[in-house]
Amino acid sequence: MTGILKRILAINLAVLHCKPAIGENMTTVGISGWGAYVPRHRIKLEEICKVWERDPAPVIKGLGVEEKAVASRDEDTITMAVEAARNALARAMTDKTFNLKQLGCLFIGSESHPYAVKPSGATVAEALGISSNFGNQMMVADLEFACKAGTAGLQMAHAFVKSGMIEAGMAMGSDTAQGRPGDALEYTAASGAACFIVSKNPVAELEGTYSFTTDTPSFWRAEGKKYPSHGARFTGEPAYFKHLTSATKALMQKLGLKESDFNHVVFHMPNAKFPLQAAKMLGIDANKLKQGLVVTKIGNTYSGSSPLGLTAILDIAKPGERILVTSYGSGDGSDAFSFVANDKITELQNIGKKTWDYINNDKKYIDYGTYLKLRGKIHRD
Amino acid sequence: MIDGENMTVPLYWRMQKEKYGLVGSNITGLKGRIISYTIIRAAPEGFEAPYVVGVVLVENGEKLVGEICANLPDVESVSLIDRSVSVVFRRIQTHSNGLRVYGYKFLLE
């Protein structure tokens, strides 16, 4: 081989092996606005225990949850998503190059969509003034994958923007989770929503994402049934822990990262015990979960759970900090994400109501009877 | 005002821009104060009494009529005049055919 041919071959090989530093290609895409919403009403687990004649101490200790958020009777997945989205838009609007017309998709994940047939997302888009009535090219889809439908939307919005199909998109998780009276789920099934604006001018860049999915019958709600059923202890080892840890490990391997590279971590929060146990299994310092561990004060907000953990972290993340988020949805699957905050995040943190403000302020405690009424479990005869 | 189930599907559809987004107003972060209100104890079909309806002077100078999210009897013994509110998006009613009607309400600050 001549010298010139060797040089050409060497250059070509170098190009082939030159991987971009971030994600799948060089286009930087990520979160450019985030917003949380948690309803005001709270019911203490102690109050639920009183009704079902259970000693509250072991229940509260076992779950690591003190109280849960309850939506008002005039709130649902749609209204909470609108409130979270307005907070996210207020933050995204600080970027003077951003405008509502750039938004081309809206994905809303929930397992409590108000309609069996009629998209929640279309109403949310209309209320936000970004439907096609306002001149937007708007692709909307309601997503379902138990508690991970919100993060599935985040992956999809990211892919839409990264491919160049649209300039910016929205993804949200919102749920008014239902628990059968007296069932174990009743102690944690809660209400809340989180929304993210995804664009090419992010404040938290998405480094990469990895999903892990199998058919695992851990939790389900059949068509026409009001409340879900679950496999009790089966929801742990072969379900939550297998999927969440597998997705997390695969993401770290894909990106060449290790546990110590992350400053903050969010794992799906069916209770406070599971994410902390998963962190221990993965060798992650429990303190890294602290800021995003919203479940202790609001319960499991299902599709809003890990997204609300992420909004809580974005509220305080410093430029350069790396955030690990892994959702989990029964059925079963997990989506793992790695975000890196950049210099622009600080400006957005001073805008609007923060996640822990929603959690800690303006709370109104209710008794069990009011809880039943607000969640539509009892009606005036 | 929305008149119970008399708000037909086409009418609900036509009024979406006004009820969802207060077209003509800058809705994001809109705040105001209550200048008049009443407690409805005899509700039209499709609504469940008691609930509070009021007139709110919003920060851009407009006066709007709408439901005030408040728990009775919490507000029965106190005056709501001059109380600060923010505009929120809520479900206004659910028709017997399952259609949900959404729009703005006022949340006490």
Side-chain angles (χ1 to χ4, degrees), chain A residues 37 40-41 72-76 78-79 82-83 86 114-115 123 126-127 133-134 364 380, chain B residues 16-17 20 27 48-50 69 71 74 88-91 98-100 102 105 107-109:
Chain A
Y37 179 76
R40 281 182 173 177
H41 293 111
S72 291
R73 58 181 169 171
D74 58 358
E75 292 185 293
D76 59 24
I78 291 174
T79 65
V82 169
E83 296 296 335
R86 284 180 177 159
Y115 291 102
T123 303
E126 201 70 57
N133 278 332
F134 296 86
K364 182 174 173 53
R380 195 189 297 267
Chain B
Q16 277 176 350
K17 280 190 178 177
Y20 282 16
I27 188 153
E48 192 178 335
C69 304
N71 290 301
D74 296 1
V88 293
F89 190 74
R90 294 285 174 103
R91 189 174 68 248
L99 182 73
R100 289 175 174 228
Y102 294 92
K105 290 187 184 181
L107 186 67
L108 291 172
E109 293 271 276

Coordinates of all heavy atoms in Angstrom, one line a residue, chain A residues 37 40-41 72-76 78-79 82-83 86 114-115 123 126-127 133-134 364 380, chain B residues 16-17 20 27 48-50 69 71 74 88-91 98-100 102 105 107-109:
Chain A
Y37 N -46.8 20.5 39.2 CA -48.1 20.8 39.9 C -48.5 19.8 40.9 O -48.5 18.6 40.5 CB -49.2 21.0 38.8 CG -50.5 21.4 39.5 CD1 -50.7 22.6 40.0 CD2 -51.5 20.4 39.7 CE1 -51.9 23.0 40.7 CE2 -52.7 20.7 40.4 CZ -52.9 22.0 40.9 OH -54.0 22.3 41.6
R40 N -53.6 20.9 46.4 CA -53.4 21.4 47.7 C -53.8 20.4 48.8 O -53.3 20.4 49.9 CB -54.3 22.6 48.0 CG -53.7 23.9 47.4 CD -54.6 25.1 47.7 NE -54.0 26.3 47.3 CZ -54.6 27.5 47.4 NH1 -55.8 27.6 47.9 NH2 -54.0 28.6 47.0
H41 N -54.8 19.6 48.5 CA -55.3 18.7 49.6 C -54.3 17.6 49.9 O -53.7 17.0 49.0 CB -56.6 18.1 49.1 CG -57.7 19.1 49.0 ND1 -58.3 19.5 47.8 CD2 -58.4 19.8 49.9 CE1 -59.2 20.4 48.0 NE2 -59.3 20.6 49.3
S72 N -58.6 17.9 43.8 CA -60.0 18.4 44.2 C -61.0 17.7 43.2 O -60.6 17.1 42.2 CB -60.1 19.9 44.0 OG -59.4 20.5 44.9
R73 N -62.3 17.8 43.5 CA -63.2 17.1 42.7 C -63.3 17.7 41.3 O -63.8 17.1 40.4 CB -64.6 17.1 43.4 CG -65.2 18.5 43.7 CD -66.5 18.4 44.4 NE -66.9 19.7 44.9 CZ -68.1 19.9 45.4 NH1 -69.0 19.0 45.4 NH2 -68.4 21.1 45.8
D74 N -62.8 19.0 41.1 CA -62.9 19.6 39.8 C -61.5 19.5 39.1 O -61.2 20.2 38.1 CB -63.4 21.0 39.8 CG -62.5 21.9 40.7 OD1 -61.6 21.4 41.4 OD2 -62.8 23.1 40.8
E75 N -60.6 18.7 39.6 CA -59.3 18.5 39.0 C -59.2 17.1 38.4 O -59.8 16.2 39.0 CB -58.2 18.7 40.1 CG -58.0 20.1 40.5 CD -56.8 20.3 41.5 OE1 -56.9 19.7 42.6 OE2 -55.9 21.0 41.1
D76 N -58.5 17.0 37.4 CA -58.2 15.6 36.8 C -56.8 15.7 36.1 O -56.1 16.7 36.2 CB -59.3 15.2 35.9 CG -59.6 16.1 34.7 OD1 -58.7 16.9 34.3 OD2 -60.7 16.1 34.2
I78 N -56.1 16.2 33.0 CA -56.1 17.3 32.1 C -55.8 18.6 32.8 O -54.9 19.3 32.4 CB -57.4 17.4 31.3 CG1 -57.5 16.2 30.3 CG2 -57.5 18.7 30.5 CD1 -58.8 16.1 29.5
T79 N -56.5 18.9 33.8 CA -56.4 20.2 34.5 C -55.0 20.3 35.1 O -54.3 21.4 35.1 CB -57.4 20.5 35.5 OG1 -57.3 19.5 36.6 CG2 -58.8 20.4 34.9
V82 N -52.3 21.0 32.6 CA -52.3 22.4 32.1 C -51.6 23.2 33.1 O -50.7 24.1 32.7 CB -53.8 22.9 31.9 CG1 -53.8 24.4 31.7 CG2 -54.5 22.2 30.7
E83 N -51.8 23.0 34.4 CA -51.1 23.9 35.4 C -49.6 23.6 35.3 O -48.8 24.6 35.4 CB -51.6 23.6 36.8 CG -53.1 23.9 37.0 CD -53.4 25.4 36.9 OE1 -52.5 26.2 37.1 OE2 -54.6 25.7 36.5
R86 N -48.2 25.2 32.2 CA -48.0 26.7 32.2 C -46.8 27.1 33.0 O -46.1 28.1 32.6 CB -49.3 27.3 32.9 CG -50.5 27.3 31.9 CD -51.7 27.9 32.5 NE -52.8 28.0 31.5 CZ -54.1 28.0 31.8 NH1 -54.5 28.1 33.1 NH2 -55.0 28.1 30.8
P114 N -59.1 11.0 31.6 CA -60.5 11.1 31.9 C -61.4 10.4 30.9 O -62.4 9.8 31.3 CB -60.8 12.6 31.8 CG -59.5 13.3 32.1 CD -58.4 12.4 31.4
Y115 N -61.0 10.3 29.7 CA -61.8 9.7 28.6 C -61.2 8.3 28.2 O -59.9 8.3 28.1 CB -61.9 10.5 27.4 CG -62.7 11.8 27.5 CD1 -62.1 13.0 27.7 CD2 -64.1 11.8 27.5 CE1 -62.8 14.2 27.8 CE2 -64.9 12.9 27.6 CZ -64.2 14.1 27.8 OH -64.9 15.3 27.9
T123 N -57.1 18.6 24.6 CA -57.7 19.7 25.5 C -56.5 20.5 26.1 O -56.6 21.7 26.2 CB -58.5 19.0 26.6 OG1 -59.6 18.2 26.0 CG2 -59.2 20.0 27.5
E126 N -55.2 22.9 23.5 CA -56.2 24.0 23.3 C -56.1 25.0 24.4 O -56.0 26.2 24.2 CB -57.6 23.4 23.2 CG -58.6 24.2 22.5 CD -58.3 24.3 21.0 OE1 -58.3 23.3 20.4 OE2 -58.2 25.5 20.5
A127 N -56.0 24.5 25.7 CA -56.0 25.4 26.8 C -54.7 26.2 26.9 O -54.7 27.3 27.4 CB -56.1 24.5 28.1
N133 N -55.6 25.4 16.1 CA -56.5 26.6 16.1 C -55.7 27.8 16.2 O -56.1 28.9 15.9 CB -57.6 26.5 17.2 CG -58.8 25.7 16.8 OD1 -59.1 25.6 15.6 ND2 -59.4 25.1 17.8
F134 N -54.5 27.7 16.8 CA -53.6 28.9 17.0 C -52.5 28.9 16.0 O -51.5 29.6 16.2 CB -53.0 28.8 18.5 CG -54.1 29.0 19.5 CD1 -54.8 27.9 20.0 CD2 -54.4 30.2 20.1 CE1 -55.8 28.0 21.0 CE2 -55.4 30.4 21.0 CZ -56.1 29.2 21.5
K364 N -53.8 21.7 52.6 CA -55.1 21.7 53.3 C -55.4 20.2 53.6 O -55.6 19.4 52.7 CB -56.2 22.2 52.5 CG -57.5 22.3 53.2 CD -58.6 23.0 52.4 CE -60.0 22.8 53.1 NZ -60.1 23.2 54.5
R380 N -73.7 12.2 46.4 CA -74.9 12.5 47.0 C -76.0 11.6 46.4 O -76.1 11.5 45.2 CB -75.3 14.0 46.8 CG -76.3 14.5 47.6 CD -76.8 15.9 47.1 NE -75.7 16.9 47.2 CZ -75.4 17.7 48.2 NH1 -76.2 17.6 49.2 NH2 -74.5 18.5 48.2
Chain B
Q16 N -64.6 27.4 23.6 CA -63.3 26.9 24.2 C -62.3 28.0 24.3 O -61.6 28.1 25.3 CB -62.8 25.8 23.3 CG -63.4 24.5 23.6 CD -62.9 23.4 22.7 OE1 -62.2 23.6 21.8 NE2 -63.2 22.1 23.0
K17 N -62.1 28.9 23.3 CA -61.1 29.9 23.4 C -61.3 30.8 24.5 O -60.3 31.2 25.2 CB -61.0 30.7 22.1 CG -60.3 29.9 20.9 CD -60.0 30.8 19.8 CE -59.3 30.1 18.7 NZ -59.0 30.9 17.5
Y20 N -61.2 28.4 28.0 CA -59.9 27.7 28.3 C -58.8 28.7 28.5 O -58.0 28.6 29.4 CB -59.5 26.8 27.1 CG -60.1 25.5 26.9 CD1 -61.3 25.2 27.6 CD2 -59.6 24.5 26.1 CE1 -61.9 24.0 27.4 CE2 -60.2 23.3 25.9 CZ -61.4 23.0 26.5 OH -62.0 21.8 26.4
I27 N -53.1 35.0 30.2 CA -53.5 34.1 31.3 C -52.4 33.6 32.2 O -52.6 33.5 33.4 CB -54.3 32.9 30.7 CG1 -54.9 32.1 31.9 CG2 -53.4 32.0 29.9 CD1 -56.2 31.4 31.5
E48 N -73.3 20.9 41.4 CA -73.6 20.5 42.7 C -73.4 21.6 43.7 O -72.3 22.1 43.9 CB -72.7 19.3 43.0 CG -73.2 18.5 44.3 CD -72.3 17.3 44.6 OE1 -71.7 16.8 43.7 OE2 -72.3 16.9 45.8
A49 N -74.5 22.0 44.3 CA -74.4 23.1 45.4 C -73.9 22.5 46.7 O -74.1 21.3 46.9 CB -75.8 23.7 45.5
P50 N -73.3 23.3 47.6 CA -73.1 24.7 47.4 C -71.8 25.0 46.7 O -70.8 24.2 46.8 CB -73.1 25.2 48.9 CG -72.5 24.0 49.6 CD -73.0 22.8 48.9
C69 N -62.9 28.6 43.8 CA -62.6 27.3 44.4 C -62.5 27.6 45.9 O -61.5 28.2 46.4 CB -61.3 26.7 43.9 SG -61.2 26.5 42.1
N71 N -63.8 25.9 49.9 CA -64.5 24.8 50.7 C -65.5 25.5 51.6 O -65.1 26.3 52.5 CB -63.5 24.0 51.4 CG -62.7 23.1 50.5 OD1 -63.2 22.3 49.7 ND2 -61.4 23.3 50.5
D74 N -65.8 26.7 55.2 CA -64.6 27.5 55.5 C -64.9 29.0 55.2 O -64.4 29.9 55.9 CB -63.4 27.1 54.7 CG -62.9 25.7 55.1 OD1 -63.6 25.1 56.0 OD2 -61.9 25.2 54.5
V88 N -57.0 29.6 37.5 CA -56.6 28.2 37.3 C -57.5 27.5 36.3 O -58.6 28.0 36.0 CB -56.6 27.4 38.7 CG1 -55.6 27.9 39.6 CG2 -58.0 27.4 39.3
F89 N -57.1 26.4 35.8 CA -57.8 25.6 34.8 C -58.4 24.4 35.5 O -57.7 23.6 36.1 CB -56.9 25.2 33.7 CG -57.6 24.6 32.5 CD1 -58.3 25.4 31.6 CD2 -57.5 23.2 32.3 CE1 -58.9 24.8 30.5 CE2 -58.2 22.6 31.2 CZ -58.9 23.4 30.3
R90 N -59.8 24.4 35.5 CA -60.5 23.3 36.2 C -61.6 22.7 35.4 O -62.0 23.3 34.4 CB -61.0 23.9 37.5 CG -60.0 24.3 38.5 CD -59.3 23.1 39.2 NE -58.2 23.5 40.1 CZ -58.3 23.6 41.4 NH1 -59.4 23.2 42.0 NH2 -57.2 23.9 42.1
R91 N -62.1 21.6 35.9 CA -63.3 21.0 35.2 C -64.5 21.8 35.8 O -64.7 21.9 37.0 CB -63.4 19.5 35.5 CG -64.5 18.9 34.7 CD -64.5 17.4 34.9 NE -64.9 17.0 36.3 CZ -64.1 16.4 37.2 NH1 -62.8 16.2 36.9 NH2 -64.5 16.1 38.4
G98 N -71.2 12.1 29.7 CA -69.7 11.9 29.9 C -68.8 13.0 29.5 O -67.7 13.0 29.8
L99 N -69.4 13.9 28.7 CA -68.6 15.1 28.2 C -68.1 15.9 29.4 O -69.0 16.3 30.2 CB -69.3 15.9 27.2 CG -68.5 17.1 26.6 CD1 -67.4 16.5 25.6 CD2 -69.4 18.1 25.9
R100 N -66.9 16.2 29.4 CA -66.3 17.1 30.5 C -66.1 18.5 29.9 O -65.6 18.7 28.9 CB -65.0 16.6 31.0 CG -65.2 15.3 31.8 CD -63.9 14.7 32.2 NE -64.2 13.6 33.1 CZ -63.5 13.3 34.2 NH1 -62.6 14.1 34.6 NH2 -63.9 12.3 35.0
Y102 N -64.5 22.1 30.5 CA -63.4 22.7 31.2 C -63.4 24.2 31.1 O -64.0 24.8 30.1 CB -62.0 22.2 30.7 CG -61.8 20.7 31.0 CD1 -62.1 19.8 30.1 CD2 -61.2 20.3 32.2 CE1 -61.9 18.4 30.3 CE2 -61.0 19.0 32.4 CZ -61.4 18.0 31.5 OH -61.2 16.7 31.7
K105 N -61.3 28.9 36.6 CA -61.9 29.2 37.9 C -60.9 30.1 38.7 O -59.8 30.3 38.2 CB -62.2 27.9 38.7 CG -63.3 27.1 38.1 CD -63.6 25.9 39.1 CE -64.7 25.0 38.4 NZ -65.0 23.9 39.4
L107 N -58.7 30.6 42.2 CA -58.3 29.9 43.4 C -57.8 30.9 44.4 O -57.0 31.8 44.1 CB -57.1 29.0 43.0 CG -56.5 28.0 44.1 CD1 -57.5 27.0 44.5 CD2 -55.2 27.4 43.6
L108 N -58.3 30.7 45.7 CA -57.9 31.7 46.7 C -56.5 31.5 47.0 O -56.0 30.4 47.2 CB -58.7 31.4 48.0 CG -60.2 31.7 48.0 CD1 -60.9 31.2 49.2 CD2 -60.5 33.2 47.8
E109 N -55.8 32.6 47.1 CA -54.3 32.6 47.3 C -54.0 32.3 48.8 O -54.8 32.6 49.7 CB -53.7 34.0 47.0 CG -53.8 34.3 45.5 CD -52.6 33.8 44.8 OE1 -51.6 34.5 44.7 OE2 -52.6 32.7 44.2

